[in-house]
C-alpha cells in the first residue's frame, strides 16, 4: 500500500550531478514513488550561488544555508554532491545527528574519513550509501558489499578514471604525445582546466581506498594507497607496449596477499596484454575486474563519470535508503572485521618493463644481467638495438618485488655503460 506522506530529500550541491538528480526526481516522480512505496519530495537545495537560474527547481527551495537545511529535523535523506572534505564532512555528520540518512558521491571524503562517517551513521541508526563515489553509473559497491558478501574477493583491478583512460587511449590509437592528448581531452570537456587530480592519480587512489576497504573487510585509507600518475607516459612507451602485445592503462589495483594476511592498494600506469578484457576499454569509459574464490572473474563496465551516469547511481542509492526508511531498517554498514594489514608498495610483486639507454659495446648486456641477478630479479626477455655507439636495452622481468626492482635500478644507474633509465613500467593482468 502506498504511503501518502512524502519522504523529504535535501540536496547539497546543484552542479552537473546535483542538477541531474533534481531533474530525475522531478520527471520520474511517479515511478520513484511506486518503486519506493511513498512519494519523494525535494525539500531544499543548498547552493553557493543562489542567483543562478536552475531550471525545474522552484526558487523557494534554494538556500545558501546548508547547515540549517540538514538541521531541519523533517528531512529523511540528505544527498551530498558538493565534494571536498569540508563542509561536506560536518554537514553529513550533522544530518545523521538530526535524523537523516545520507547518500553521497564524495570519494575524497569517504577515502579519508569513511570509518568516522560509518561510525556516525551507526551511532544514529542511519544509512550511509555511496555507489556514485567510485565508478559513476557502474553498479560496483553494492555487488561487492551485498552480492559477493558470501564470497572471498582476492583482487580488484580496474580503470576508474575516464579522463586518464581517454588520454591514454588517444596516445595508443593515434600515436599522440601526452600533452596533445590532454589538450584534446580538455577541449572535449573530459579533463578539467586543472587536471591534476585525474592525471596524477589522486582521484583513482581515493576510489581504490574505498574499493579495497569493501572488498577485503578492512579499513583502507587514502594514505595507504600507493599513487603514481601518468604524466610521464610517452609515445615511446606505447611503442614498446605494442611490441609486447600490450597497451597501457592507469590502473587501480587492490589485492589480497597469497597467505591472506595482508592487502595492498595501488594506482599507477601499467602495461596489460591486449587479450585482457581491460585492454579493450576505450575512451572515457571505466571498467573494473573482480576476482573471487567462488564467483571467479567478473567484469563491470560502463560510463564512470558525467552528470547523468553519476545521478543514476545517486538515485539508485536514494531508492534503497528510502525503502529502508519506510521499513524502519538500515542497510549494510561498514564491514572491517578482517582488519588485515595494509602492506607497503615495496612488498608488491609484479613484472616490470625497463628501458635503458646504454653504450653500444661488448659486455654491456652481461653487466646489466649481472646486476639483475645480484638483486634476485629474474629476467624474462631482453631486446637490444644499437647504432653509432649508443643503444637501447629493453628488459622484461619475471615477477619481482617493488623493493628488489628499486635496488636493481639504483645499481644500474651506477654502471658506466648505462647512460640512463628511459622508463620503468609495471606489467599487469597476466
Amino acid at each position: 500500500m502506498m504511503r501518502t506522506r512524502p519522504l523529504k530529500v535535501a540536496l547539497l550541491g546543484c552542479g552537473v550531478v546535483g542538477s541531474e538528480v533534481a531533474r530525475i526526481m522531478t520527471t520520474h516522480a511517479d515511478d520513484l514513488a511506486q518503486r519506493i512505496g511513498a512519494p519523494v519530495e525535494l525539500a531544499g537545495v543548498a547552493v553557493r550561488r543562489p542567483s543562478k537560474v536552475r531550471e525545474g527547481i522552484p526558487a523557494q527551495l534554494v538556500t545558501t544555508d546548508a547547515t540549517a537545511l540538514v538541521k531541519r529535523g523533517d528531512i529523511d535523506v540528505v544527498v551530498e554532491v558538493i565534494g571536498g572534505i569540508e563542509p561536506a564532512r560536518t554537514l553529513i555528520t550533522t544530518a545523521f545527528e538530526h535524523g537523516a540518512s545520507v547518500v553521497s558521491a564524495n570519494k575524497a571524503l569517504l577515502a579519508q574519513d569513511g570509518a568516522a562517517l560509518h561510525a556516525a551513521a551507526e551511532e544514529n541508526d542511519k544509512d550511509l550509501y555511496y555507489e556514485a563515489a567510485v565508478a559513476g553509473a557502474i553498479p560496483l559497491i553494492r555487488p561487492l558489499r551485498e552480492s559477493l558478501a558470501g564470497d572471498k574477493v582476492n583482487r580488484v583491478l580496474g580503470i576508474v578514471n575516464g579522463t586518464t583512460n581517454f588520454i591514454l587511449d588517444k596516445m595508443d590509437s593515434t600515436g599522440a604525445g601526452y600533452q596533445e592528448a590532454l589538450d584534446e581531452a580538455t577541449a572535449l570537456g573530459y579533463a578539467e582546466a586543472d587536471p591534476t587530480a585525474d592525471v596524477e592519480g589522486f582521484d583513482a587512489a581515493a576510489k581504490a581506498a574505498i574499493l579495497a576497504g569493501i572488498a577485503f573487510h578492512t579499513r583502507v585509507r587514502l594514505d595507504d594507497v600507493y599513487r603514481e600518475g601518468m604524466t610521464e607516459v610517452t609515445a615511446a612507451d606505447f611503442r614498446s607496449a605494442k611490441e609486447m602485445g600490450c597497451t597501457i592503462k592507469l590502473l587501480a589495483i587492490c589485492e589480497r596477499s597469497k597467505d591472506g594476511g595482508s592487502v595492498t592498494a595501488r594506482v599507477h600506469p601499467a602495461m596489460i596484454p591486449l587479450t585482457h578484457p581491460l585492454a579493450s576499454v576505450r575512451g572515457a569509459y571505466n571498467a573494473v575486474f573482480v576476482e573471487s574464490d567462488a564467483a571467479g572473474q567478473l567484469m563491470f563496465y560502463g560510463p564512470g563519470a558525467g552528470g547523468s551516469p553519476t545521478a543514476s547511481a545517486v538515485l539508485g542509492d536514494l531508492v534503497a535508503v528510502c525503502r529502508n526508511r519506510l521499513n524502519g531498517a538500515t542497510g549494510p554498514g561498514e564491514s572491517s572485521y578482517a582488519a588485515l594489514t595494509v602492506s607497503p608498495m615495496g612488498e608488491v610483486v609484479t613484472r616490470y618493463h625497463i628501458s635503458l639507454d646504454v653504450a653500444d659495446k661488448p659486455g654491456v648486456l652481461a653487466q646489466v644481467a649481472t646486476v639483475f641477478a645480484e638483486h634476485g630479479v629474474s629476467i624474462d626477455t631482453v631486446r637490444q638495438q644499437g647504432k653509432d655507439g649508443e643503444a637501447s636495452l629493453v628488459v622484461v622481468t619475471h615477477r619481482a618485488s617493488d623493493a628488489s626492482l628499486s635496488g636493481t635500478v639504483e645499481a644500474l644507474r651506477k654502471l658506466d655503460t648505462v647512460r640512463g633509465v628511459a622508463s620503468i613500467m609495471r606489467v599487469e593482468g597476466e
Side-chain angles (χ1 to χ4, degrees):
M1 182 178 178
M2 176 77 69
R3 193 183 82 164
T4 56
R5 185 175 71 80
L7 292 161
K8 294 188 176 183
V9 177
L11 179 61
L12 307 183
C14 197
V16 174
V17 176
S19 59
E20 274 297 292
V21 170
R23 183 189 66 80
I24 295 172
M25 284 185 63
T26 302
T27 58
H28 295 180
D30 292 341
D31 285 338
L32 290 173
Q34 292 296 326
R35 295 166 192 174
I36 292 168
V40 285
E41 173 188 309
L42 189 59
V45 181
V47 300
R48 286 184 298 177
R49 296 183 293 275
S51 59
K52 181 179 177 180
V53 177
R54 293 172 173 85
E55 186 177 348
I57 300 177
Q60 65 268 24
L61 294 184
V62 177
T63 178
T64 57
D65 194 343
T67 301
L69 179 59
V70 299
K71 282 184 173 181
R72 276 179 35 174
D74 64 336
I75 300 297
D76 294 288
V77 184
V78 169
V79 174
E80 183 271 309
V81 287
I82 56 178
I85 305 302
E86 288 292 355
R89 173 171 48 197
T90 299
L91 290 170
I92 288 173
T93 55
T94 301
F96 291 142
E97 292 165 359
H98 286 78
S101 289
V102 174
V103 173
S104 176
N106 196 331
K107 52 188 171 288
L109 178 57
L110 289 158
Q112 179 172 306
D113 288 320
L117 294 178
H118 275 292
E122 183 177 359
E123 181 181 347
N124 291 280
D125 196 27
K126 296 296 178 288
D127 275 323
L128 173 62
Y129 276 49
Y130 43 91
E131 184 69 66
V134 172
I138 305 172
L140 185 58
I141 289 178
R142 193 170 288 114
L144 284 173
R145 193 160 63 171
E146 299 178 28
S147 303
L148 296 174
D151 205 344
K152 178 184 177 183
V153 176
N154 297 309
R155 194 174 197 226
V156 180
L157 171 76
I159 298 164
V160 294
N161 184 278
T163 300
T164 55
N165 199 57
F166 178 88
I167 293 170
L168 292 172
D169 185 36
K170 278 295 175 183
M171 293 176 70
D172 183 29
S173 61
T174 68
Y178 166 74
Q179 189 60 51
E180 183 183 350
L182 172 60
D183 290 344
E184 183 174 351
T186 304
L188 293 172
Y190 292 124
E192 301 287 345
D194 179 3
T196 302
D198 295 323
V199 300
E200 294 294 353
F202 291 101
D203 175 86
K207 295 170 180 177
I210 295 170
L211 289 174
I214 296 171
F216 306 131
H217 305 278
T218 293
R219 286 178 178 168
V220 179
R221 287 171 47 93
L222 181 58
D223 291 345
D224 296 321
V225 181
Y226 171 84
R227 177 195 56 78
E228 184 181 321
M230 46 149 290
T231 57
E232 301 299 318
V233 177
T234 66
D237 291 326
F238 274 100
R239 289 193 293 270
S240 294
K242 286 182 179 179
E243 290 173 358
M244 289 181 58
C246 293
T247 188
I248 299 171
K249 299 291 187 182
L250 185 75
L251 298 178
I253 305 169
C254 311
E255 291 180 303
R256 187 191 299 268
S257 63
K258 287 187 177 180
D259 65 10
S262 64
V263 299
T264 58
R266 51 197 165 102
V267 169
H268 54 72
M271 294 182 179
I272 59 172
L274 295 174
T275 53
H276 193 281
L278 291 178
S280 61
V281 178
R282 311 303 295 268
Y285 275 70
N286 285 190
V288 177
F289 205 69
V290 177
E291 301 174 10
S292 68
D293 275 1
Q297 297 180 330
L298 306 169
M299 183 166 163
F300 301 83
Y301 169 85
S308 293
T310 306
S312 170
V314 169
L315 265 295
D317 278 351
L318 179 63
V319 169
V321 170
C322 286
R323 287 170 175 169
N324 291 343
R325 193 85 172 182
L326 287 180
N327 293 327
T330 55
E334 183 189 32
S335 175
S336 59
Y337 76 91
L340 300 175
T341 300
V342 183
S343 297
M345 185 63 185
E347 297 180 16
V348 169
V349 175
T350 188
R351 296 175 67 205
Y352 290 87
H353 177 282
I354 305 102
S355 180
L356 305 172
D357 294 327
V358 299
D360 186 15
K361 62 182 184 181
V364 173
L365 180 56
Q367 285 184 323
V368 169
T370 298
V371 170
F372 276 87
E374 288 174 346
H375 289 80
V377 179
S378 176
I379 294 175
D380 182 17
T381 62
V382 177
R383 186 175 70 256
Q384 184 173 6
Q385 293 179 324
K387 184 178 181 182
D388 299 330
E390 298 296 328
S392 64
L393 190 66
V394 175
V395 179
V396 179
T397 74
H398 288 292
R399 293 176 66 83
S401 72
D402 189 79
S404 63
L405 196 281
S406 296
T408 303
V409 171
E410 187 175 337
L412 287 171
R413 294 183 193 275
K414 296 177 181 178
L415 294 177
D416 292 338
T417 51
V418 175
R419 308 290 192 237
V421 180
S423 69
I424 303 170
M425 191 166 295
R426 296 169 184 86
V427 182
E428 300 284 349
E430 299 171 83

